[in-house]
Amino acid sequence: ASSPRASAMGAARSPLAPLALLGALALWLGLRAGFAGGRAPPRLRGERLAARVSASYLERQGPKDSDVPFAGTAATGPETAVDFKKRPFGILRYQPGQGGKGAMAMEIIPTSRYPGDPQGQAFLAGVTGGSVVKSIAGVNVLNEDFGKIMDMLDDEVADPRFSKSTALAMEQQGGRLAEPAGTPIPVVFATIPGYVYKGAELKQDGQDGFAR
């Protein structure tokens, strides 16, 4: 039989056990929340779905300090014709021309990672940063509204971070400005004589993506 002293000590220690258990549980929950909250959102790569929207494009793919103003109608230089078989084309951003007319291809992914890589199409065809979209499926768009060109090309990759704001912008815009051209899409790019591209040169990162 245990002595009265041992029983008293056991009774004094007994409340510590549930407290220690609660402390361990709180620590485990805190660590789990930290890992969950600190995880970066996955980067979208490969053959991704197009955003299918021109609304608020410039808020997601805004102009850069290095962008040089241009007029689409000035694109009278050498041309490059491409038949894009699938989306996306490998052009990460387009710049609107003066007055919101015309579109210039910016930030071309500088490689084709594997045969049939959709994001290597522009590079393999010889499209370079600073090339102006001259025609889409035979329709001249040099002086067309930038938003309409974006809808026709439908080349922006959907980013879930902007899904709600994009849906709201689309509603406020009143829907698409044009229907996307069906694939394969014949697109002609033209250069502006004397224009010097000053945009970012993309570099491949360790996860097979591209950063400015």
Side-chain angles (χ1 to χ4, degrees):
S2 60
S3 66
R5 178 182 177 131
S7 299
M9 291 179 64
R13 285 197 303 264
S14 60
L16 297 179
L19 289 176
L21 186 60
L22 288 174
L25 179 61
L27 178 62
W28 179 78
L29 289 174
L31 288 174
R32 184 177 181 185
F35 283 127
R39 186 182 297 117
R43 297 183 66 178
L44 302 176
R45 301 181 186 280
E47 297 184 31
R48 303 169 288 184
L49 294 178
R52 300 191 180 281
V53 59
S54 61
S56 69
Y57 177 90
L58 293 178
E59 293 181 14
R60 299 184 301 276
Q61 305 288 346
K64 310 300 180 186
D65 292 340
S66 59
D67 288 354
V68 178
F70 73 96
T73 53
T76 58
E79 301 178 356
T80 300
V82 191
D83 282 330
F84 290 115
K85 295 179 174 58
K86 61 180 71 174
R87 297 176 170 95
F89 308 149
I91 301 172
L92 296 189
R93 184 172 68 91
Y94 293 85
Q95 175 189 339
Q98 295 173 340
K101 301 293 184 180
M104 177 179 285
M106 309 291 283
E107 300 170 11
I108 312 297
I109 290 180
T111 186
S112 178
R113 300 163 297 175
Y114 53 86
D117 179 12
Q119 299 212 68
Q121 294 176 97
F123 167 75
L124 292 178
V127 180
T128 57
S131 299
V132 177
V133 181
K134 181 177 181 178
S135 67
I136 303 171
V139 178
N140 188 300
V141 294
L142 285 176
N143 199 39
E144 187 57 82
D145 180 79
F146 176 77
K148 184 175 181 180
I149 297 173
M150 292 300 96
D151 274 342
M152 293 173 70
L153 291 175
D154 200 21
D155 187 33
E156 185 190 4
V157 175
D159 189 329
R161 295 175 300 174
F162 298 104
S163 59
K164 292 184 178 179
S165 60
T166 299
L168 178 60
M170 171 63 82
E171 182 180 351
Q172 294 174 343
Q173 179 176 282
R176 300 183 62 97
L177 300 178
E179 290 302 312
T183 54
I185 311 170
V187 179
V188 175
F189 296 87
T191 56
I192 298 176
Y195 175 89
V196 178
Y197 175 71
K198 297 182 179 180
E201 296 297 334
L202 301 183
K203 297 180 180 179
Q204 191 166 5
D205 65 22
Q207 298 182 7
D208 202 27
F210 292 88
R212 298 177 179 87

